[in-house]
Amino acid sequence: MSVVAPPDEAQAVDGPSEVATPGLERQAERAKARQGFLLGLPAILYLLVFFVIPLGVVVAYSFATRTRSGRTELRDWNLNAYARLGDDIVLTVAWRSLWVAALTTVICILLAYPLAYFISTRSAVTRNLLLVGIMIPFWSNFLIRTYAWRVLLDSDGLVTQMVQATGLGDGRILFTTNAVILGLVYGYLPFMVLPLYAAIERIDWSLVEGARDLYANGWGAFRRVVWPLSKPGVVAGSILVFVPSFGAYVTPAILGGNKEGLLGSYIVLQFLSARNGPVGSAVSVVVLVVMLLGTLLYFRAGGKNL
Amino acid sequence: MHDTTDGPRPAVELQGVVKRFGDRSGTEVTAVDDLDLRIADGEFFSLLGPSGCGKTTTLRMIAGLELPTAGSIRIHGEEMGLRPPNRRPVNTVFQNYALFPHMTVAKNIGFGLEMRKVPTGDRAELIDWAIQLVEMGALAHRKPGQLSGGQQQRVALARALVNRPEVLLLDEPLGALDLKLRQQMQHELKTLQREVGITFVYVTHDQEEAVTMSDRIGVMHDGRLLQVDTPEAIYERPTTRFVADFIGQSNFLEATVASADEVVLANGQRLRLSSDSPSGEAVAVTVRPERLTVHRRGEAPAGLHHLEGRVETVTYLGNAIVYGIGIDWMHLDVRCPATLAVERRDVGDEVTVSFEPRHAAVVTG
Ligand SMILES: Nc1ncnc2c1ncn2[C@@H]1O[C@H](COP(=O)(O)OP(=O)(O)O)[C@@H](O)[C@H]1O
Ligand SMILES: [Mg+2]
């Protein structure tokens, strides 16, 4: 500060008697921002080391060169790996993944909606009990639960035997895409139920009464009031189920067959067996972009206030 | 209780209607207790009472949003029984409006028509009519969230009226508005009701609102209907202490019934006033403060009822003066117009308070 400071500026450094000026306001804002940054620093460092840098590596790999021996070398940047994405095998696997993810999502909506509706119309105590019930599966490891399905679906597994007993078929679905969908629905159903519950529970019940008063029958009130108002929950749940289903690896690896691969296993295949880092990375990048678009959609649909 | 509706088919008829709510712990609340009521066609009828007295529950039972525990509800002679709300010829303006937040004003208003499958052409015409009726033309494409409270209230009204219900039920529709807007809307609602000729059942806890707007008022207390009458009759001839107290202010003189046309005040003074209560029953004589006149002691005209007392307080209100008068065993409020023609009293003056017999009512409870 200059020696001949204007009077009000001189006052400003006196502490309690500070007079607010645009300069001071900006200064205070900057201090606050700095404080926020310091608080976030550990998390920022963590994400940088374990997320941003590996992601950068994957993106770099997708433009890198593969040597004859299968090594990935970071030189002669090219789009060869992306050109391979048009291959029949990649397209087939991508479409199948898309289909599996879409079907999983639809089945989850059909199962979760009535359940979420039921839960959100119970008394507070029942509601909390049921919600805890929904989350119980999270208490045990996802991998173990998926292996449990393998046991159940085995040729002499409990589920297979029960299906055979009812005479509906031979019940042998292990190592098929159907088994994968079953496993995915099982694994991701809670991620559909919870946002749906949150959305339905928030609906003002008097709106339904209003609709009934205006000549809507039960179905009309649902179709025109409850469903549209719960849509943010449907969108949120769909993205929470679709995104991980699309790139799923564990469930298809354990319950799916070799014949009908999905994107997750295709990427692993490229890195490990085919020793083609660039193609594996390129597929990963595309999957990532698709998921990112999905997530953007989620925020656009008002998922923020979930 | 006397009922002035003798028409052949009242718009709404409640007979012995009871509603009890049970809760988990087994305690029961009787929200509405043995309600008998006939509301005439085209009438503006108000249910008036303090919060929690069962007004909303009564309205919801007429709408079909709640089923009575006992009793019968008829609309234009037809028994409603277990009919769901969508098959009753009534519409409701909800206390919180319950406008559909995801629909525009026009869609909200057209909802009932759409549900009844009114052809699109007629629908548009009716929606237009309703929008004009509540002067919301400029805002037809807004969503409820973009409207002020008063505007939302108009939309709720239009959304109900567009269906031309036989009876319109309104649950404290002006409760959320500020005083000035409320008074304006009271006037508009009353005018509108005359225009469309639909029977209104209007729920409010605001006695001024009920008195201003209604053809008749039913005063409720603790789930019971205490008195059903014109606003004037309710004000001038309350039958219970609760009604006299709830509608405006009043003085209550403890008394005992001596005979069919005489009561004895607590100080032994006898007044010729007729009452329906049996001899010996404890009652109160109620007189509105503005129906009392203050005279210099002994100068009160004959033919009126007199009470002797002393001025204890004088409160100047601009357009009126309120005297607090101590009589032997209690305190009375007397309200006089503050004109120059009326002689002023001072604290300590010995006075006689007078009132015409027809301005006093004998009330029970
Ligand atoms: N759904 C309900 N369950 C239990 N008690 C209720 C219910 N609805 C209303 N009540 C009780 O019934 C009484 C009357 O309520 P209400 O009709 O809403 O009164 P008002 O509209 O006159 O304020 C109150 O004591 C209230 O607590
Ligand atoms: Mg109420």
Side-chain angles (χ1 to χ4, degrees):
Chain A
M1 187 185 289
S2 65
V3 188
V4 279
D8 59 331
E9 206 173 319
Q11 228 173 18
V13 285
D14 279 343
S17 61
E18 276 179 21
V19 173
T21 67
L24 272 179
E25 189 189 7
R26 227 171 297 130
Q27 211 172 310
E29 270 166 14
R30 239 176 280 141
K32 226 179 269 170
R34 208 162 35 238
Q35 198 180 9
F37 176 75
L38 284 176
L39 284 172
L41 196 58
I44 291 169
L45 281 177
Y46 181 91
L47 283 175
L48 198 67
V49 173
F50 294 106
F51 180 71
V52 177
I53 292 175
L55 195 65
V57 171
V58 170
V59 173
Y61 263 42
S62 70
F63 296 105
T65 307
R66 177 178 183 265
T67 63
R68 272 178 206 292
S69 60
R71 271 167 42 89
T72 304
E73 289 182 356
L74 298 176
R75 56 177 174 79
D76 297 338
W77 305 106
N78 60 71
L79 290 171
N80 294 350
Y82 287 94
R84 288 277 307 280
L85 295 184
D87 286 4
D88 277 353
I89 172 71
V90 179
L91 288 181
T92 309
V93 168
W95 275 119
R96 192 182 295 133
S97 292
L98 206 65
W99 168 244
V100 165
L103 202 61
T104 303
T105 308
V106 170
I107 294 172
C108 279
I109 293 175
L110 292 178
L111 291 177
Y113 204 102
L115 180 60
Y117 189 89
F118 175 79
I119 296 174
S120 53
T121 50
R122 294 308 98 184
S123 72
V125 180
T126 322
R127 211 150 50 184
N128 290 336
L129 277 176
L130 290 169
L131 284 177
V132 170
I134 296 290
M135 287 187 272
I136 281 181
F138 295 142
W139 297 355
S140 65
N141 184 280
F142 183 67
L143 198 64
I144 293 170
R145 283 184 286 134
T146 309
Y147 268 111
W149 269 111
R150 188 165 175 161
V151 175
L152 290 172
L153 293 176
D154 221 347
S155 53
D156 56 355
L158 195 63
V159 172
T160 315
Q161 281 180 0
M162 270 162 50
V163 173
Q164 282 167 354
T166 58
L168 289 174
D170 74 347
R172 289 167 195 267
I173 62 163
L174 191 59
F175 305 134
T176 65
T177 304
N178 287 343
V180 174
I181 293 172
L182 177 73
L184 289 173
V185 168
Y186 166 78
Y188 295 133
L189 192 60
F191 296 106
M192 186 64 87
V193 175
L194 295 178
L196 275 179
Y197 163 78
I200 296 171
E201 198 261 343
R202 224 178 10 211
I203 295 175
D204 179 358
W205 198 251
S206 70
L207 296 178
V208 176
E209 292 192 331
R212 295 304 307 272
D213 186 68
L214 292 164
Y215 313 104
N217 55 22
W219 169 246
F222 174 78
R223 193 173 56 85
R224 294 300 313 277
V225 177
V226 178
W227 174 258
L229 290 177
S230 62
K231 246 193 216 150
V234 177
V235 173
S238 296
I239 284 156
L240 290 180
V241 170
F242 183 89
V243 167
S245 298
F246 185 56
Y249 172 67
V250 171
T251 312
I254 296 172
L255 301 176
N258 297 328
K259 295 181 296 272
E260 302 178 331
L262 296 177
L263 277 174
S265 43
Y266 185 76
I267 292 167
V268 173
L269 203 74
Q270 289 307 311
F271 274 106
L272 300 184
S273 312
R275 293 179 57 77
N276 194 335
V279 170
S281 299
V283 177
S284 302
V285 168
V286 171
V287 170
L288 211 78
V289 168
V290 170
M291 292 183 179
L292 206 65
L293 288 177
T295 313
L296 279 179
L297 199 78
Y298 162 49
F299 282 114
R300 287 280 299 276
K304 277 167 292 197
N305 32 8
L306 193 76
Chain B
M1 188 185 312
H2 85 234
D3 195 330
T4 53
T5 22
D6 300 319
R9 238 173 41 142
V12 182
E13 191 173 10
L14 280 73
Q15 239 168 37
V17 171
V18 177
K19 179 67 187 180
R20 273 191 279 273
F21 291 107
D23 70 10
R24 210 163 280 272
S25 61
T27 53
E28 273 199 339
V29 188
T30 305
V32 173
D33 198 0
D34 197 17
L35 212 76
D36 288 307
L37 179 63
R38 290 153 65 91
I39 298 170
D41 217 358
E43 190 174 20
F44 195 123
F45 187 90
S46 289
L47 273 176
L48 173 67
S51 166
C53 72
K55 308 179 297 289
T56 297
T57 307
T58 306
L59 210 64
R60 287 170 59 82
M61 285 192 286
I62 300 173
L65 296 167
E66 212 86 68
L67 291 175
T69 310
S72 135
I73 295 173
R74 279 192 284 273
I75 294 172
H76 282 133
E78 229 174 306
E79 177 64 47
M80 287 297 117
L82 302 180
R83 264 205 228 181
N86 50 317
R87 297 206 288 113
R88 296 190 184 207
V90 303
N91 285 115
T92 308
V93 176
F94 291 87
Q95 187 161 11
N96 63 356
Y97 311 141
L99 296 177
F100 306 125
H102 56 299
M103 297 182 200
T104 61
V105 166
K107 283 265 181 214
N108 263 283
I109 295 176
F111 188 87
L113 302 171
E114 190 193 328
M115 288 296 126
R116 280 194 306 177
K117 306 204 164 57
V118 173
T120 326
D122 301 354
R123 205 191 295 170
E125 215 167 278
L126 282 165
I127 293 174
D128 261 3
W129 168 80
I131 287 181
Q132 297 311 320
L133 190 69
V134 297
E135 293 163 12
M136 289 290 294
L139 306 173
H141 298 290
R142 293 238 187 129
K143 298 261 178 80
Q146 301 163 305
L147 301 178
S148 73
Q151 291 166 340
Q152 290 184 25
Q153 198 276 330
R154 285 160 198 264
V155 177
L157 196 64
R159 187 178 72 166
L161 278 175
V162 73
N163 304 295
R164 295 303 188 108
E166 290 175 25
V167 180
L168 185 69
L169 309 172
L170 304 101
D171 193 355
E172 312 213 14
L174 308 182
L177 308 182
D178 57 47
L179 184 66
K180 200 143 182 186
L181 191 56
R182 196 158 69 221
Q183 284 169 342
Q184 181 196 336
M185 289 301 299
Q186 282 172 10
H187 181 72
E188 288 182 15
L189 263 180
K190 180 70 195 163
T191 313
L192 197 75
Q193 192 262 343
R194 264 193 230 113
E195 267 172 38
V196 296
I198 292 173
T199 309
F200 274 34
V201 182
Y202 190 97
V203 159
T204 179
H205 67 264
D206 181 340
Q207 49 100 9
E208 225 178 286
E209 195 167 288
V211 168
T212 319
M213 303 170 79
S214 321
D215 296 324
R216 284 192 310 150
I217 299 173
V219 183
M220 282 187 81
H221 180 46
D222 272 349
R224 292 178 165 277
L225 201 52
L226 295 182
Q227 189 172 357
V228 180
D229 244 321
T230 60
E232 196 181 337
I234 295 251
Y235 189 80
E236 299 290 347
R237 292 182 300 280
T239 57
T240 54
R241 189 167 178 153
F242 178 85
V243 172
D245 207 21
F246 194 73
I247 317 284
Q249 285 161 334
S250 207
N251 295 296
F252 296 97
L253 301 151
E254 307 300 336
T256 316
V257 178
S259 67
D261 54 8
E262 195 174 50
V263 297
V264 185
L265 296 184
N267 64 346
Q269 188 179 344
R270 292 177 170 263
L271 293 180
R272 293 197 71 78
L273 288 170
S274 59
S275 70
D276 301 333
S277 304
S279 310
E281 176 135 325
V283 291
V285 173
T286 180
V287 195
R288 303 281 178 194
E290 73 274 17
R291 302 296 193 202
L292 293 169
T293 317
V294 188
H295 312 270
R296 208 169 293 157
R297 175 67 57 84
E299 289 185 1
L304 302 181
H305 288 319
H306 296 173
L307 296 163
E308 306 207 320
R310 237 171 119 255
V311 176
E312 287 175 346
T313 59
V314 180
T315 313
Y316 178 70
L317 296 178
N319 60 349
I321 296 173
V322 173
Y323 295 108
I325 311 255
I327 57 176
D328 277 356
W329 75 103
M330 65 172 295
H331 181 93
L332 292 177
D333 280 336
V334 180
R335 189 185 171 100
C336 304
T339 57
L340 294 174
V342 178
E343 196 185 339
R344 301 284 168 90
R345 311 285 156 199
D346 290 315
V347 173
D349 284 4
E350 299 287 333
V351 294
T352 300
V353 175
S354 75
F355 58 94
E356 289 186 43
R358 67 189 171 101
H359 285 149
V362 177
V363 296
T364 56

